[in-house]
Amino acid sequence: MSLTKEVIEQKLKEKFSGENFIFNEYRDELTISFDKKNVVPICKFLKEEVELQFKLCEDVTAIDWARRKNRFTVVYHIYSLKHNFRLSLKADVDESDLSIDSVSSVWKTANWEEREVYDMYGIKFNNHPDLRRMYMPEEFEYYPLRKDFPLMGIPGSNPLPKK
Amino acid sequence: MQKLTKDDVHPKIVEALLQDTDITVEDALENEMILNMGPQHPATHGVLRLLLRLDGESIVACVPELGYLHRGYEKMAENMTYYEFIPHTDRLDYLSPMANNVAWVLAVEKLAGIEAPPRAQYIRMMVSELARIASHLVAIGAFAMDVGALTVFLWTLREREKILDIWDILCGARFTNSYTRIGGVANDAQPEAIAKVKWFIDQYLENLDECERLLNTNRIFIERLEGIGVVSAEDAIDLGLTGPSLRGSGVEYDLRRSNPYLFYNEMDFKVITYPNGDSLARYFVRADETRESIKIIKQILDKMPSGETLLNQPKKVLPKKTEIYSRMEELIHDFMIVNFGINPPEGEIYSAVENPKGELGFYLVSKGEGRPWKCKIRSPSFVNLQAVPHLVKGHMISDVVAIVGSIDPVMGEADK
């Protein structure tokens, strides 16, 4: 039995009746958008529901839309090994409240992926076990992948270590 | 050697290192030991830094530090056209640049909604399998070297050299190939290159057996790896391991089989799995996978159709050089693509392929412009490295090199 959009849609609507899901299909890829406050229960459900089993979290990333009202979107790519089905999840994060719940309790992979998003976009992940910067030094004040960070970097922002 | 002091390690790293314990740094420096391994350590495969908390010789905690090779490719990708990024993919997993080139153009083609002609796809398949062999040969050789068997490294690199020679004929470069183009490949595979591939696959298996004889019956090698760094199938999935590291734990997950791209659905090959999940199993998977790659290349050479190697789609695909110099239309298209890009329609895609190290994915967001609005590189080494703290816990310090070697990370990819 192969997994289809209808099955996922029906399952999610059954479980989270009050939630406003937006389903979008583009080039054979299914994307589901929802509000950020329910991200952990939804992810847990998608992982643990017997008929879905999205056990592999491939990727967590974010998009900076620069001038949009909800400036950032956090994107999760998850995969069901049982059905060979890939799914993207999206949750908007606004600049006024730059935080979203961490899903590292659901998938361990998300730990570093979320650290990377925090490092690059400055989005805080609540309840994250070890929220440090991934690539940049801890003292670095800026978030390099934001659209307002210049390509050439900011001179003096990354000083050499003191001798 | 100078003693490590509190100031040498950032407080947040210390915090991560010393969680689940009530000792302080000074205590740890007295009773338990904090050892800094890397970033300049020959067995960490590049600039990987591991901070280890040791009790005697066994590891209590491990905190990897990344970012020493961070070049900001994702930021750079947002500021260049899709064509311009092809050479940069060479520098991600620099042991198998061809496979990265293929992954990138497949992602861009999916975004733009075009497809390369069959011959180009067969050539791409051939070079990705050769890249897989080349990468696994380094992995096996370096892995054996890490645990003390130096000869194997020389022998596997000798084999790898032959693949680099093939690439030399094929595209003129040995390391940073940039061979693929959006909508095809840079040039057709010449008869000399095909002949060389045939020669290579004919003699390869014998040479691999030779290398394996040095290892598989070597008691030191086996005893240093058996039962070291065991990860169960469930943990491996939870940690997001992909590629040989996941298949070494007995999970039959290979994107070539589960989500076939190019023409892998027409190929007959086995997905190699070993159930034990230890470092030795990961080595066996790699060695056997190169055998399967040889099998695939044989089928590719049998089935390879003739025909065009570049799509005729003037708005999306760069025309051939000879045509640019002699025809007006082609010159205009070339100018437009080079200066303004190929402008894929608005949308976003995630495209993943099975690279030697694992699943390499590109997440591209297009706003209909010549440059990607967002490009996320899902690199297998980065995700696989996350498993290192779980794998090394409780093992001896000399096992760390074996475990890192069995994961086979490439820092160019992990740090992006």
Side-chain angles (χ1 to χ4, degrees):
Chain A
M1 183 205 90
S2 69
L3 203 57
T4 54
K5 180 191 165 195
E6 283 71 34
V7 177
I8 300 172
E9 193 169 351
Q10 187 207 339
K11 292 245 173 237
L12 277 173
K13 286 200 168 142
E14 241 168 56
K15 176 87 183 172
F16 302 94
S17 49
E19 184 70 42
N20 182 24
F21 291 107
I22 302 164
F23 290 81
N24 193 8
E25 242 175 336
Y26 183 70
R27 300 229 195 272
D28 302 330
E29 282 178 19
L30 182 60
T31 310
I32 307 175
S33 315
F34 47 80
D35 195 76
K36 70 172 184 179
K37 65 178 186 295
N38 270 337
V39 61
V40 176
I42 289 171
C43 287
K44 218 182 178 84
F45 173 73
L46 286 170
K47 185 190 174 187
E48 284 167 6
E49 169 67 33
V50 188
E51 282 170 42
L52 300 176
Q53 300 207 5
F54 285 92
K55 284 195 173 170
L56 185 68
C57 174
E58 291 179 308
D59 192 22
V60 179
T61 185
I63 311 170
D64 180 1
W65 297 106
R67 288 193 194 84
R68 218 177 66 171
K69 185 174 160 275
N70 287 319
R71 184 174 164 183
F72 297 99
T73 302
V74 179
V75 188
Y76 305 85
H77 293 282
I78 56 175
Y79 191 84
S80 170
L81 293 165
K82 192 180 168 198
H83 300 288
N84 287 334
F85 193 90
R86 186 173 285 125
L87 183 64
S88 318
L89 309 174
K90 278 179 162 185
D92 283 343
V93 176
D94 191 47
E95 227 177 345
S96 56
D97 176 23
L98 265 180
S99 68
I100 185 168
D101 288 338
S102 163
V103 295
S104 54
S105 57
V106 184
W107 298 287
K108 275 188 202 152
T109 332
N111 187 328
W112 278 22
E113 302 277 9
E114 287 179 347
R115 274 177 64 190
E116 195 193 341
V117 174
Y118 164 69
D119 188 2
M120 293 294 149
Y121 292 95
I123 298 169
K124 293 228 163 46
F125 288 87
N126 306 328
N127 306 325
H128 190 282
D130 180 24
L131 196 64
R132 284 180 290 129
R133 279 182 173 259
M134 193 74 235
Y135 295 131
M136 303 306 289
E138 210 63 54
E139 297 83 8
F140 195 69
E141 291 167 15
Y142 306 93
Y143 300 107
L145 273 185
R146 285 191 182 181
K147 289 286 175 185
D148 50 10
F149 187 85
L151 179 65
M152 298 302 290
I154 295 169
S157 61
N158 203 356
L160 291 168
K162 284 188 203 84
K163 193 69 201 156
Chain B
M1 206 168 93
Q2 266 188 336
K3 201 174 159 188
L4 202 69
T5 62
K6 200 178 167 182
D7 304 330
D8 295 332
V9 187
H10 194 276
K12 285 203 172 169
I13 301 174
V14 174
E15 196 189 282
L17 197 61
L18 296 181
Q19 63 183 358
D20 321 321
T21 176
D22 50 1
I23 59 168
T24 62
V25 185
E26 284 73 21
D27 277 341
L29 290 171
E30 283 301 315
N31 307 314
E32 290 183 333
M33 191 167 117
I34 292 177
L35 185 77
N36 181 41
M37 190 170 151
Q40 300 295 345
H41 188 285
T44 53
H45 294 245
V47 280
L48 170 67
R49 182 190 189 197
L50 296 171
L51 277 143
L52 306 165
R53 198 172 103 216
L54 301 169
D55 179 17
E57 241 194 297
S58 45
I59 289 146
V60 184
C62 166
V63 174
E65 274 295 302
L66 276 77
Y68 288 91
L69 203 59
H70 180 62
R71 296 149 293 179
Y73 271 142
E74 286 170 1
K75 183 82 180 173
M76 284 159 76
E78 290 172 10
N79 289 282
M80 55 176 68
T81 62
Y82 294 90
Y83 263 105
E84 282 175 311
F85 196 65
I86 294 172
H88 290 283
T89 57
D90 290 335
R91 279 103 180 143
L92 289 172
D93 175 1
Y94 41 71
L95 294 176
S96 57
M98 281 285 197
N100 302 338
N101 293 161
V102 174
W104 173 253
V105 293
L106 282 176
V108 177
E109 281 170 10
K110 190 173 176 188
L111 185 67
I114 55 176
E115 204 171 279
R119 184 171 172 88
Q121 300 210 32
Y122 269 92
I123 295 174
R124 284 178 187 179
M125 216 152 50
M126 182 180 81
V127 295
S128 359
E129 288 312 313
L130 283 172
R132 191 180 317 279
I133 298 173
S135 170
H136 282 348
L137 282 174
V138 177
I140 294 167
F143 183 38
M145 191 171 66
D146 287 346
V147 295
L150 191 70
T151 318
V152 187
F153 185 66
L154 303 173
W155 288 16
T156 55
L157 277 217
R158 183 193 62 200
E159 289 307 303
R160 180 182 149 84
E161 199 61 26
K162 294 168 188 165
I163 297 176
L164 299 188
D165 286 343
I166 293 169
W167 289 348
D168 195 357
I169 303 173
L170 205 56
C171 63
R174 284 158 50 81
F175 279 117
T176 44
N177 307 106
S178 310
Y179 177 56
T180 57
R181 296 287 181 275
I182 294 159
V185 289
N187 53 275
D188 197 0
Q190 308 86 335
E192 306 92 80
I194 300 280
K196 186 114 191 187
V197 174
K198 277 190 181 131
W199 169 78
F200 174 76
I201 56 174
D202 282 341
Q203 50 89 56
Y204 173 74
L205 290 178
E206 206 176 304
N207 289 327
L208 179 70
D209 288 342
E210 217 171 37
C211 295
E212 281 201 319
R213 269 203 294 277
L214 282 181
L215 296 175
N216 292 2
T217 51
N218 184 336
R219 230 181 106 188
I220 303 171
F221 184 75
I222 305 279
E223 278 181 11
R224 274 208 65 180
L225 301 174
E226 210 169 13
I228 298 297
V230 181
V231 56
S232 68
E234 249 147 63
D235 281 349
I237 295 171
D238 203 16
L239 285 165
L241 287 177
T242 44
S245 312
L246 179 63
R247 292 192 284 274
S249 293
V251 183
E252 201 178 320
Y253 172 57
D254 189 323
L255 283 166
R256 291 176 293 172
R257 177 60 51 79
S258 61
N259 294 43
Y261 50 98
L262 298 171
F263 284 107
Y264 278 114
N265 49 351
E266 292 176 10
M267 296 292 137
D268 168 38
F269 67 99
K270 229 168 69 195
V271 178
I272 305 288
T273 55
Y274 276 82
N276 292 349
D278 55 1
S279 301
L280 193 62
R282 292 191 274 275
Y283 152 71
F284 282 143
V285 170
R286 287 205 178 84
D288 285 357
E289 248 173 37
T290 60
R291 287 200 178 84
E292 292 302 312
S293 292
I294 292 286
K295 216 161 98 186
I296 296 173
I297 295 171
K298 270 189 191 142
Q299 296 170 50
I300 292 168
L301 291 177
D302 286 345
K303 287 187 184 171
M304 195 184 283
S306 55
E308 281 294 310
T309 53
L310 204 59
L311 189 68
N312 184 13
Q313 171 84 273
K315 298 276 182 215
K316 303 271 187 258
V317 180
L318 271 180
K320 291 203 175 83
K321 261 280 171 321
T322 46
E323 289 169 358
I324 297 166
Y325 291 135
S326 55
R327 292 159 81 162
M328 196 60 213
E329 278 293 304
E330 270 71 15
L331 180 66
I332 295 168
H333 288 312
D334 182 76
F335 180 82
M336 292 305 281
I337 290 178
V338 168
N339 285 286
F340 303 107
I342 60 169
N343 304 348
E346 207 164 311
E348 46 198 77
I349 56 105
Y350 178 84
S351 158
V353 304
E354 186 74 26
N355 247 32
K357 309 284 186 289
E359 173 185 337
L360 175 66
F362 286 104
Y363 176 56
L364 293 171
V365 179
S366 167
K367 276 199 166 185
E369 295 162 351
R371 297 161 177 188
W373 180 258
K374 153 95 194 160
C375 161
K376 159 83 192 193
I377 304 160
R378 190 267 184 211
S379 62
S381 299
F382 173 72
V383 183
N384 288 359
L385 268 177
Q386 190 170 184
V388 168
H390 301 265
L391 295 181
V392 300
K393 204 167 261 182
H395 286 296
M396 299 293 222
I397 187 162
S398 58
D399 296 332
V400 175
V401 286
I403 289 166
V404 171
S406 75
I407 293 282
D408 186 27
V410 165
M411 295 316 286
E413 187 177 57
D415 283 349
K416 291 185 267 215

